[in-house]
Amino acid sequence: MTTSFLRFQNLILTSLLLTGFVCQGKLTCKEGHSGPTYESMQEVFDKKSFRPAVNLSNPTITNISFTLYAVLGVVSNAERVLVNRSHDNARNEKTQILTTFLWLRLYWHHEFMVWEPNECDGVTRISIPVNQLWSPDIIVYEFVDDDVSQACPYVYLNHTGHIRWDRMLRLVSSCNLEIFSFPFDVQNCTFTFGSYMHTIRDVRVSPALTFEAMSINSKNYLEASGEWELVVILGETSILKFGVDEWDIITFWVVIKRRPNLYVVNLLIPSSFLMLIDILSFYLPPHSVDRASFKMTLILGYTVFLLIMNDLLPSTANGTPIIGIYFSVCLALMVISLLETVIITNVLHHNSMKYREVPRWVRVLVLQHIANLICYRWPEGIRPSAWPSNHKADEPESDAGVCVVQTITPSPAPQEASRDAERAGSSVAMDGQELRQICQDVGTLRAHLTALQKEGELQDVWCHVGYVLDFLLFRIYLLLISFYALVIIYMWCIWVAQT
């Protein structure tokens, strides 16, 4: 009962106020006074809590336009350190935000602020404090932080009752960022303007200018501003439904693209130089120890480069930019090339490789198929088919190395020559022993030379296995680097083609 009575009382009071406004009709002017009198406007200022409409069933139409003046920052998945009201440092959650600076302009009609210019010394427009008037509660639905820009305290009022309010708006809004093609990325962020409390029955919104005109104006001011370039501004009006209530909204799509010059100079060009040096390192002898140390130094330098450029790369849970994948692949290729150099060095210098046969599958796969695939140039007179497929340590030796020593037995001599015969037989026996020792030494020397020859052949086979694998990795290295270079050039061409 009490609630119904209060509602009836408020309705009567509103009707009386509106009746007073209608009876009053227009603002009054005094002779010799330019513009409406302060007393007539003060009566309207005292009623600023009421929506300025003679018939409350008619909604107040608010026209909206804005000019994108600057893109202050685009942060993806960044940790922002904020200072709360108790001045304690607090770490905000990771989010995707866009910070822009807008020149926002609002138009609406105040039906009780009307006067005749002929009666007011020809004054058609005046400026009055905005806090003295009712103003539509237009907000941006995507905002995530308070507006800290300087507020404009005045509005322009036309004699027909039309009001224009220009605002400088520092807008921190959420935006779904696509960073896969960074630094050649194009972002499409949404600005949704609408009333916070007033439904479609009280406030309607519409664009004050065409979306094309807003886009052209913004391009003129944003043309030389920062690292971002405006592509186009699109928009549409729609109805937002929530339960039984409906709100009138305008959705703007602001398409911006990044100017990649800074990142090309600071990221791509230094990385390209390091990769070029790593490619040239393949021309060093694979069995050289200096090559391994050179590659380790290069990997250390590239790791330092990755740590430095980590602050320039955006990171988000939605994905990884392709340039980050490119850096990771380059580092992986450097590590693989160092590992391949270590393996080749171990093959050529480790003693455990002596007399170890090259497996048949390695011969077929590496020395035949892979070598033919990469067009490996064999030295003159050397072909994999000319190498024996197996070496046996127990092969029978040829008779050429067998020494046969025959002992000559002296024939019977006359009795008077027995002493000379005995001395001659003793001398012949000693000569036979020496010949047998010489033949044994020659056989040992021949076995040693055969072992050295066998070891040299195995070392040549393993050496060519390493060379073939080295050339294979070099071709793969060049293929991947060329592929990523073409991808980056293609993305740059797409970025240039954006209008």
Side-chain angles (χ1 to χ4, degrees), residues 73-77 95-98 174-180 185-189 228 256 258 314 316 318-319:
V74 177
V75 182
S76 59
N77 208 10
T95 182
Q96 296 179 343
I97 60 175
L98 170 69
S174 61
C175 180
N176 187 16
L177 303 177
E178 298 293 338
I179 63 169
F180 178 75
D185 51 333
V186 177
Q187 306 297 340
N188 188 356
C189 296
W228 292 94
I256 56 177
R258 193 191 307 265
T316 177
N318 296 338

Side-chain angles (χ1 to χ4, degrees), residues 145-257:
D145 202 354
D146 295 334
D147 179 23
V148 295
S149 58
Q150 185 177 0
C152 182
Y154 296 97
V155 297
Y156 270 122
L157 173 64
N158 195 277
H159 71 280
T160 58
H162 290 86
I163 298 176
R164 191 191 78 187
W165 186 19
D166 294 334
R167 296 178 55 188
M168 295 178 294
L169 180 62
R170 181 183 179 272
L171 179 60
V172 181
S173 61
S174 61
C175 180
N176 187 16
L177 303 177
E178 298 293 338
I179 63 169
F180 178 75
S181 57
F182 174 88
F184 308 102
D185 51 333
V186 177
Q187 306 297 340
N188 188 356
C189 296
T190 304
F191 297 159
T192 304
F193 289 86
S195 176
Y196 181 72
M197 286 296 298
H198 296 88
T199 63
I200 196 173
R201 298 179 180 179
D202 297 327
V203 174
R204 299 294 302 268
V205 295
S206 63
L209 298 175
T210 62
F211 301 116
E212 183 179 1
M214 296 183 196
S215 180
I216 293 175
N217 293 336
S218 299
K219 287 182 179 180
N220 293 335
Y221 288 101
L222 193 66
E223 183 176 0
S225 177
E227 66 171 305
W228 292 94
E229 179 180 351
L230 179 63
V231 179
V232 69
I233 295 179
L234 304 174
E236 67 174 7
T237 58
S238 59
I239 303 297
L240 176 63
K241 295 182 179 181
F242 187 77
V244 296
D245 295 324
E246 297 179 345
W247 283 265
D248 201 10
I249 60 175
I250 302 179
T251 303
F252 294 93
W253 290 282
V254 179
V255 182
I256 56 177
K257 64 179 181 179

Side-chain angles (χ1 to χ4, degrees), residues 134-385:
W134 178 93
S135 59
D137 55 339
I138 301 298
I139 63 171
V140 181
Y141 289 174
E142 290 83 7
F143 79 97
V144 294
D145 202 354
D146 295 334
D147 179 23
V148 295
S149 58
Q150 185 177 0
C152 182
Y154 296 97
V155 297
Y156 270 122
L157 173 64
N158 195 277
H159 71 280
T160 58
H162 290 86
I163 298 176
R164 191 191 78 187
W165 186 19
D166 294 334
R167 296 178 55 188
M168 295 178 294
L169 180 62
R170 181 183 179 272
L171 179 60
V172 181
S173 61
S174 61
C175 180
N176 187 16
L177 303 177
E178 298 293 338
I179 63 169
F180 178 75
S181 57
F182 174 88
F184 308 102
D185 51 333
V186 177
Q187 306 297 340
N188 188 356
C189 296
T190 304
F191 297 159
T192 304
F193 289 86
S195 176
Y196 181 72
M197 286 296 298
H198 296 88
T199 63
I200 196 173
R201 298 179 180 179
D202 297 327
V203 174
R204 299 294 302 268
V205 295
S206 63
L209 298 175
T210 62
F211 301 116
E212 183 179 1
M214 296 183 196
S215 180
I216 293 175
N217 293 336
S218 299
K219 287 182 179 180
N220 293 335
Y221 288 101
L222 193 66
E223 183 176 0
S225 177
E227 66 171 305
W228 292 94
E229 179 180 351
L230 179 63
V231 179
V232 69
I233 295 179
L234 304 174
E236 67 174 7
T237 58
S238 59
I239 303 297
L240 176 63
K241 295 182 179 181
F242 187 77
V244 296
D245 295 324
E246 297 179 345
W247 283 265
D248 201 10
I249 60 175
I250 302 179
T251 303
F252 294 93
W253 290 282
V254 179
V255 182
I256 56 177
K257 64 179 181 179
R258 193 191 307 265
R259 293 186 175 98
N261 299 333
L262 173 66
Y263 301 97
V264 170
V265 173
N266 291 278
L267 295 181
L268 291 179
I269 293 180
S271 176
S272 300
F273 286 158
L274 292 176
M275 298 310 300
L276 179 61
I277 295 175
D278 191 53
I279 291 174
L280 295 177
S281 67
F282 280 91
Y283 290 96
L284 293 174
H287 56 275
S288 175
V289 181
D290 295 336
R291 178 176 177 179
S293 60
F294 178 80
K295 284 183 174 293
M296 285 188 290
T297 305
L298 194 61
I299 291 177
L300 178 61
Y302 199 80
T303 304
V304 174
F305 166 74
L306 292 180
L307 293 176
I308 295 175
M309 68 87 188
N310 189 42
D311 296 334
L312 297 178
L313 281 180
S315 60
T316 177
N318 296 338
T320 303
I322 191 172
I323 191 174
I325 301 175
Y326 166 75
F327 292 147
S328 300
V329 171
C330 291
L331 182 61
L333 288 175
M334 288 184 176
V335 174
I336 293 174
S337 65
L338 176 61
L339 179 62
E340 180 259 350
T341 302
V342 171
I343 293 174
I344 293 178
T345 304
N346 180 71
V347 167
L348 298 180
H349 295 279
H350 203 278
N351 293 329
S352 63
M353 300 303 298
K354 289 183 178 180
Y355 302 107
R356 181 173 298 178
E357 293 289 340
V358 179
R360 178 176 177 80
W361 66 271
V362 175
R363 290 175 176 269
V364 175
L365 179 62
V366 177
L367 299 180
Q368 294 183 12
H369 297 291
I370 295 180
N372 294 332
L373 180 64
I374 64 176
C375 300
Y376 179 71
R377 295 182 180 180
W378 296 94
E380 295 183 1
I382 297 179
R383 290 291 184 272
S385 59

Side-chain angles (χ1 to χ4, degrees), residues 17-18 20-28 36-54 108-115 126 128-135 157 161 163:
L17 290 173
L18 293 176
F21 287 149
V22 172
C23 293
Q24 185 178 2
K26 299 179 181 179
L27 299 178
T28 59
T37 61
Y38 174 78
E39 291 78 12
S40 62
M41 289 190 296
Q42 185 62 42
E43 294 180 3
V44 181
F45 294 160
D46 294 338
K47 312 302 185 299
K48 69 175 183 178
S49 301
F50 298 93
R51 184 166 63 88
V54 175
W108 71 93
H109 187 215
H110 200 299
E111 298 183 8
F112 306 130
M113 302 290 287
V114 181
W115 71 90
I126 59 175
I128 56 177
V130 66
N131 57 3
Q132 297 292 335
L133 295 174
W134 178 93
S135 59
L157 173 64
I163 298 176

Side-chain angles (χ1 to χ4, degrees), residues 405-410 420-438:
V405 179
Q406 296 180 354
T407 303
I408 303 175
T409 304
D420 295 336
E422 290 178 0
R423 287 194 297 268
S426 176
S427 176
V428 170
M430 292 179 62
D431 293 339
Q433 292 179 358
E434 291 178 356
L435 289 175
R436 280 192 294 270
Q437 184 64 35
I438 292 173

